[in-house]
Amino acid sequence: MGTGENSLSSASISNDLGTRFVGQRVICHPRLASTMEMARQEARLGAVEGTVVVAGEQTGGRGRMGRVWLSPQGNISLSIILYPDLAHLPSLIMLASLAVVHAIEAVSGLKAQIGWPNDVLIGGKKVCGILVESNVRGGTVAHAVIGIGMNVNLRAADFPEISSIATSLSDEVGGEVSLAGMIRQLLVDIERLYLDLQAGGSVYQEWRDSLVTLGKKVVANSSGISYEGIAESVGEDGGLLLRCSDGSLIKVIAADVTLHG
Ligand code: BTN
């Protein structure tokens, strides 16, 4: 998968990875409809925790709020299966976006930030999207899947539908970036943060401090309704507190947030 030197295989990701479980089992396919679907099926079959599904490209990549996610070759499209405690579920979004920020910095030296709730941005343009899906039954998490789509070796200018709002690592560094290297770094950091969470640590403060959104005037679109206000703070559950122009404070849980002006 991938081209030439930059090809992906299960072994190129998991060999000598040094993790306890995340990425110890990697299922790699050159092309999938969506890694979310395969990961969900694997989880239902009882896949070992930390199983990763990677696709060279996706033909039906899914984004947040029912959107299509562009997933050509050269990008990272992967899903990770976890079985967290219910109490840790809201932290998975924070944990995943922080791990992406760390991995981008470690591999490329680029400084990335988070647009609430979990868009990873470089210079205000989106470089990575994260989708967390879970199945909760009777107060326990049957499974959770973290989906990560990162624009790595992609010329954003070649895709008019995203070129004004998105960037890629290769666009930013001016050269090709190792896909396996980036995935490995990402998996190591996800496991580190996840183990820390289980040991009583929290990702909340670092996530909050990495948000570009706070203090800015924003428009939040939630279920077809637009709310305008100042992004005042975020709760430990990940919710965004918006101070509206009439002085009221509203909490937004799932929305699309754009900076105003
Ligand atoms: C977003 O809308 O910002 C989230 C995008 C998440 C995309 C990733 S790519 C790997 C995984 N498979 C999918 O179909 N979606 C997620």
Side-chain angles (χ1 to χ4, degrees):
M1 277 167 17
T3 47
E5 297 286 293
N6 214 344
S7 61
L8 280 178
S9 64
S10 305
S12 70
I13 295 168
S14 57
N15 277 359
D16 301 319
L17 187 61
T19 56
R20 287 193 215 163
F21 55 96
V22 173
Q24 288 302 316
R25 176 171 177 242
V26 176
I27 303 167
C28 236
H29 285 278
R31 179 184 290 155
L32 284 176
S34 164
T35 58
M36 297 308 277
E37 296 314 317
M38 175 161 278
R40 189 170 56 186
Q41 284 164 18
E42 284 288 326
R44 283 201 179 131
L45 295 171
V48 65
E49 182 163 45
T51 296
V52 178
V53 179
V54 183
E57 63 181 313
Q58 295 183 121
T59 52
R62 295 198 277 108
R64 285 177 65 233
M65 314 191 79
R67 277 182 304 236
V68 168
W69 181 259
L70 193 72
S71 322
Q73 255 198 43
N75 272 6
I76 289 174
S77 304
L78 63 78
S79 295
I80 305 164
I81 300 170
L82 295 173
Y83 302 107
D85 290 341
L86 187 58
H88 293 149
L89 205 47
S91 302
L92 290 190
I93 281 179
M94 307 179 196
L95 175 158
S97 39
L98 270 182
V100 169
V101 168
H102 295 160
I104 289 177
E105 194 149 357
V107 172
S108 69
L110 295 165
K111 173 113 186 76
Q113 287 177 305
I114 302 170
W116 184 89
N118 55 3
D119 288 344
V120 180
L121 314 166
I122 296 178
K125 289 189 161 186
K126 186 155 166 173
V127 70
C128 180
I130 296 159
L131 189 64
V132 177
E133 292 180 346
S134 56
N135 185 350
V136 179
R137 265 190 256 132
T140 53
V141 182
H143 67 255
V145 176
I146 299 178
I148 298 177
M150 198 189 293
N151 300 334
V152 183
N153 297 312
L154 165 119
R155 276 165 40 122
D158 291 345
F159 297 88
E161 63 271 45
I162 60 161
S163 59
S164 63
I165 50 161
T167 187
S168 72
L169 295 182
S170 61
D171 279 351
E172 296 294 328
V173 297
E176 199 167 329
V177 173
S178 161
L179 289 175
M182 178 57 77
I183 293 175
R184 288 165 64 89
Q185 186 69 43
L186 200 52
L187 299 180
V188 167
D189 211 61
I190 284 178
E191 178 173 283
R192 184 180 64 79
L193 293 174
Y194 186 61
L195 289 175
D196 189 53
L197 195 66
Q198 289 178 329
S202 167
V203 284
Y204 165 67
Q205 276 181 14
E206 197 191 343
W207 172 74
R208 186 193 59 195
D209 294 345
S210 306
L211 287 172
V212 276
T213 320
L214 295 186
K216 304 259 169 60
K217 199 169 177 191
V218 300
V219 180
N221 283 298
S222 179
S223 316
I225 305 173
S226 271
Y227 304 93
E228 213 178 296
I230 306 283
E232 200 163 279
S233 62
V234 283
E236 296 210 31
D237 61 356
L240 178 69
L241 292 168
L242 211 60
R243 179 73 64 184
C244 300
S245 46
D246 64 0
S248 63
L249 196 62
I250 59 162
K251 186 170 190 169
V252 186
I253 298 291
D256 232 1
V257 167
T258 45
L259 297 185
H260 198 269

